[in-house]
Amino acid sequence: MWEAIESNRRRTRIIVAGMAVLLVGLGALIGGAVAPRGGGLVAGVGIALLLWFILWLVAAFQGDSIMLSVAGAERIEHADAPQLFNVVEEMVIASGLGKMPEIYVIPDDRPNAFAAGRKAETRVVCVTSGLLRALNRDELQGVIAHEIGHHKNGDPALMILMGVMLGAIVLIAEIYLRGNFWGGRRRSSKESGGLEILLVVLAIVLAILAPVLAQMMYFACSRRREFLADASAARFTRYPEGLASALEKISVHYQGGIKANKVLAPMYIVNPMQALAAVGLFSTHPPTDDRVRILRAMGGGVGYVDYDAAYRKITGRAGCIGKRTLAADTPTSAREAAPAAAESVDERVSRSRDVGNLLGRLDGFTMMQCACGVGIKVPPGASWASIPCPRCGRDNPVPKAQPSASAKADEPLTFRRQGKGWQSFQCSCGASINLSPAFEAKSKTCGRCGRTIDVH
Amino acid sequence: MTGAVIAVVALGIGLFVVIIVLAVAGMYNGLVRSRNETKNAWAQIDVQLKRRHDLIPNLVETVKGYAKHEQGTLQGVISARAAAVGAGTVDARIAAEGQLTQALSRLMVLTENYPDLKANQNFLGLQEELTSTENKLAFARQAYNDAAMTYNTKTETFPSNLIAGNFGFKPEPLFQVTDEKQREAPQVKF
C-alpha cells in the first residue's frame, strides 16, 4: 500500500513505448519522404526527438506554473481556507505521500479539481471555489483523496510524458501536411522514382493517422489512471461514498455541456468538456456514472481487491489493478457511515459565505466587520472613507494605513492591528491589504505601489 | 584446456557471488526503507497527539466564556489532558489518550446546547481544527498499520526473512481496535 498502486504496469509501458515508436516512425518517414537521398531518415528521427525533448523541457519545468496562471489559480495558506488545508493534510497522512503539496484555488463557480506537478517538490492540488461551495467535508475529502491518489500513483509525470509525445506527433504531422500542401507542386515537378513517391504517400497517410492514434493512446491511458485514483481514494478515506456522492454533485453541474478550457480538460476530476454519456475512445475520463456505480458496488470493503471486483462487475471488463498490488493488498473495511443527516440550509449558507470571503480576500477586497457582527466587503480601489452598516446603520470607517507621527514625505505608513483574526486595510494608494491570523512580520509591502507599511 | 575450464568456473562462481551480494543488499535496503516508513508513521501519530494537547487549552478558554455551568465537563477535559501529557509508559498513554477522546466528545456534545457558542468564529475554527486532528490521528494510525503490515510481511516471508533474522529486523506491533469506541474515533462529529 505504501508503494504506488500498480495498474497493469506492462500495459502502460506498452502504450508509452507505442507512442514513442509512432513519434520516431513519423519522423523517419517524413524525413525520408522530404529528402530520400540526403540522410533525411536520420535527420527526421533526430528532429522528432529534439522537438519532443524541447517540449518536454518546457512542460516539465514551466508547464505547471503556466497552467496555473492560465487558470487564474491563487495559492492559499492554512488561514485562507482551514478546512481545505486540513483535508489535504489528512489525505497526505493517510496516503503516506510525505510532502505536503501546494494548494491552489481557482475562482470559478463550476466545481472541479486537479493534481499537477512532476516531482515531490512541485506537487500541486488545485480546486475551484465552486467545489468548496458545493461539497461537504466528507465529499471534499473524497475528491482530495482522488487527487492525492494521482500524485501517489505518479500520474502527473506520466501524463506530462504522454501529453508531450502527443503534442510532438501532432506538431510534426501538421507541419508536414501543411508544407506538402503549399510546396507540393515544387516537389512533384522534380524527377522522382517509384520508391520516393511511395515514401511520400506513406508519409502523408501516417501524418494523417498518427495524431489520431496517439490521441487514442493518450486517452486510454488517462481513463485508466482515473479509475486507479478512485481506487486509491476509497482506500485512503475508507469511505467510498464520499467520493461517489461528490462525483454525482459535480457531474450535475456539467450536464449543460458548459464551455471550459480545452487544454486543462483532461486533468480535472470530472472532464468539463464531456457532456453526459458522450464517452468513447476519445474521452479523457471514464463516464462519471460508471465511476459512481463502481464506488457504490464495493460492498463495505475499501481495499484494492474490492475496487477491482466492483470494476469487473460494473464494466464487465477484466480488472484494472495489477496483480502485485492486489496480492499485497490487505483486506480493509469501510468506516461506518457518519449519520447521514440531510445537509442543513445553515451549513450550506455558512460554507458559501466562507468561500465568498476567501474569494474576496484573493481578489483584494478589504474585509471589515461592523460591531453588530455584519461582515462588510469593500472593493479594491474604493475611495469611501466610511460605510454605513446595512443592518444597524453604524458608520464604519474603512481601515486605512496612517502616516506615522513624524510625517515626512517618504516615511513608511503604519497600521495598528486590532485583534488576531483576519484583518484588512487600505494602503494610501487605495490597494487593499489583507493580514492573515498567522501574519507575524513587522511590515507589509503594498502589492500595487510598493510602499512598506509598518504593522504593529 | 583445464585452464580455460577453471577460468569459466571461477567466473561463474564470481558472478554468482556478485548476484547474491546484490540481492542481499537490495533486500536489506528494502527492509530499512520499510522500517523507516513505519517509524515515520509512528512519529506522525505523536505529532497529532501533541497537536491535540495544544488545542485543548484554547478550546476550554473559549467554551468557558459561554458555558459557565459546565465546570465538571470542562474540568474533566483538563485533567484528562494533564494525564495524557504526563503518562509514562506506552500503555498508560494509550489509556489516557482514550480517556481524553471521550472527555472531548462529551464536551462537544454539550456545546450543542449553546447556540451563541456555535456562532462564535473562534470556536468554529477550533472545532474544525479539532475535528481534523481527530481525523489525522485516525489516518495516521491507519497509515502506521499499513506500513507496519508491509514491513512485517517482509520480515516474515522468504527470502527477506533470512536477512531480517540476521540483521535484527523485528516485526512491529499493530494497532488493534480494542473497543468500538476507538473504531468510531474518526467519525466523531463535533
Side-chain angles (χ1 to χ4, degrees), chain A residues 27-49:
Chain A
L29 206 53
I30 289 178
V34 171
R37 290 198 194 86
L41 204 117
V42 178
V45 172
I47 289 172
L49 288 179

Side-chain angles (χ1 to χ4, degrees), chain A residues 11-21 158 161-162 165 221:
Chain A
R11 211 184 130 124
T12 307
R13 284 205 188 113
I14 290 173
I15 294 183
V16 172
M19 237 157 132
V21 167
L158 178 67
L161 183 72
M162 299 212 37
M165 278 203 269
C221 200

Side-chain angles (χ1 to χ4, degrees), chain A residues 142-389:
Chain A
V143 170
I144 297 296
H146 171 99
E147 302 307 338
I148 296 289
H150 274 311
H151 279 308
K152 187 75 184 167
N153 301 338
D155 295 347
L158 178 67
M159 294 326 279
I160 286 179
L161 183 72
M162 299 212 37
V164 162
M165 278 203 269
L166 171 63
I169 289 171
V170 170
L171 211 60
I172 292 174
E174 193 89 334
I175 291 172
Y176 176 65
L177 288 178
R178 278 166 199 260
N180 232 10
F181 182 73
W182 295 110
R185 191 174 292 265
R186 234 180 314 135
R187 206 168 304 128
S188 60
S189 68
K190 277 191 276 177
E191 284 290 309
S192 48
L195 179 71
E196 284 160 38
I197 292 171
L198 184 70
L199 267 178
V200 170
V201 170
L202 276 180
I204 291 177
V205 170
L206 193 63
I208 292 168
L209 282 183
V212 182
L213 274 174
Q215 221 158 16
M216 274 163 61
M217 289 179 184
Y218 178 77
F219 289 161
C221 200
S222 161
R223 284 197 301 269
R224 213 172 178 75
R225 309 312 288 189
E226 291 303 321
F227 283 124
L228 290 183
D230 281 357
S232 301
R235 188 96 167 62
F236 296 159
T237 56
R238 303 281 201 263
Y239 189 57
E241 177 56 29
L243 179 59
S245 116
L247 286 174
E248 257 181 358
K249 269 193 188 175
I250 295 172
S251 64
V252 165
H253 283 257
Y254 292 94
Q255 283 182 352
I258 303 160
K259 265 186 245 157
N261 191 334
K262 243 186 221 173
V263 187
L264 298 179
M267 314 221 32
Y268 283 109
I269 183 163
V270 167
N271 186 346
M273 316 284 293
Q274 194 173 298
L276 281 176
V279 171
L281 287 174
F282 289 99
S283 40
T284 57
H285 282 57
T288 309
D289 210 31
D290 275 2
R291 290 168 67 192
V292 172
R293 273 163 52 210
I294 292 171
L295 286 166
R296 292 204 166 133
M298 289 175 70
V302 292
Y304 298 137
V305 176
D306 303 296
Y307 190 86
D308 204 54
Y311 176 88
R312 277 184 272 122
K313 199 169 102 196
I314 299 293
T315 62
R317 273 171 284 176
C320 63
I321 298 175
K323 280 198 191 70
R324 267 177 43 205
T325 307
L326 290 180
D329 193 30
T330 45
T332 327
S333 53
R335 68 177 151 100
E336 282 149 55
E343 212 181 344
S344 71
V345 177
D346 279 359
E347 271 170 60
R348 274 210 301 274
V349 168
S350 88
R351 207 161 59 211
S352 196
R353 190 173 50 224
D354 286 350
V355 173
N357 287 343
L358 169 65
L359 290 181
R361 282 200 288 275
L362 295 181
D363 278 349
F365 276 73
T366 304
M367 322 286 268
M368 41 196 256
Q369 192 149 26
C370 175
C372 71
V374 170
I376 300 171
K377 284 186 248 182
V378 188
S383 55
W384 310 311
S386 67
I387 295 172
C389 170

Side-chain angles (χ1 to χ4, degrees), chain B residues 9-186:
Chain B
V9 170
L11 203 68
I13 292 173
L15 212 63
F16 182 72
V17 169
V18 167
I19 288 172
I20 291 288
V21 167
L22 283 181
V24 167
M27 277 186 274
Y28 180 82
N29 288 344
L31 279 165
V32 170
R33 208 177 310 124
S34 265
R35 189 172 59 185
N36 284 345
E37 277 171 3
T38 313
K39 281 190 179 146
N40 282 343
W42 181 256
Q44 191 56 245
I45 297 177
D46 270 349
V47 170
Q48 299 310 328
L49 288 175
K50 172 87 175 46
R51 208 180 132 58
R52 186 161 77 162
H53 297 163
D54 293 346
L55 282 171
I56 287 171
N58 267 335
L59 181 76
V60 169
E61 269 320 300
T62 311
V63 175
K64 224 187 237 167
Y66 292 84
K68 294 191 188 66
H69 308 298
E70 314 289 357
Q71 278 303 330
T73 315
L74 286 169
Q75 201 52 50
V77 172
I78 294 170
S79 50
R81 174 185 181 269
V85 171
T89 66
V90 173
D91 284 339
R93 256 186 87 183
I94 291 176
E97 293 292 351
Q99 292 286 321
L100 181 56
T101 303
Q102 285 175 24
L104 273 173
S105 44
R106 268 199 300 277
L107 177 65
M108 285 306 177
V109 168
L110 222 148
T111 57
E112 293 291 333
N113 304 332
Y114 297 86
D116 284 354
L117 182 59
K118 297 218 58 140
N120 181 323
Q121 285 299 317
N122 202 1
F123 175 74
L124 290 177
L126 282 168
Q127 195 183 28
E128 160 61 27
E129 292 308 311
L130 201 58
T131 308
S132 177
T133 306
E134 296 287 348
N135 282 354
K136 283 170 194 161
L137 210 47
F139 286 126
R141 282 204 191 110
Q142 171 184 315
Y144 169 80
N145 267 1
D146 285 335
M149 189 88 87
T150 310
Y151 168 68
N152 290 352
T153 311
K154 274 188 195 165
T155 62
E156 283 158 11
T157 50
F158 185 81
S160 50
N161 63 343
L162 300 177
I163 317 285
N166 283 319
F167 289 96
F169 289 92
K170 297 205 175 55
E172 299 280 351
L174 295 182
F175 262 104
Q176 302 296 339
V177 178
T178 44
D179 58 0
E180 282 309 297
K181 271 279 168 291
Q182 228 173 327
R183 183 196 286 280
E184 281 164 15

Side-chain angles (χ1 to χ4, degrees), chain A residues 48-60:
Chain A
L49 288 179
L50 189 70
L51 182 66
W52 172 77
F53 185 64
I54 292 172
L55 285 180
W56 183 82
L57 278 185
V58 174

Side-chain angles (χ1 to χ4, degrees), chain A residues 400-418:
Chain A
K400 281 204 167 68
Q402 300 296 326
S404 33
S406 55
K408 269 186 262 165
D410 315 338
E411 200 71 3
L413 298 167
T414 55
F415 176 74
R416 203 164 287 282
R417 286 195 86 169
Q418 295 114 14

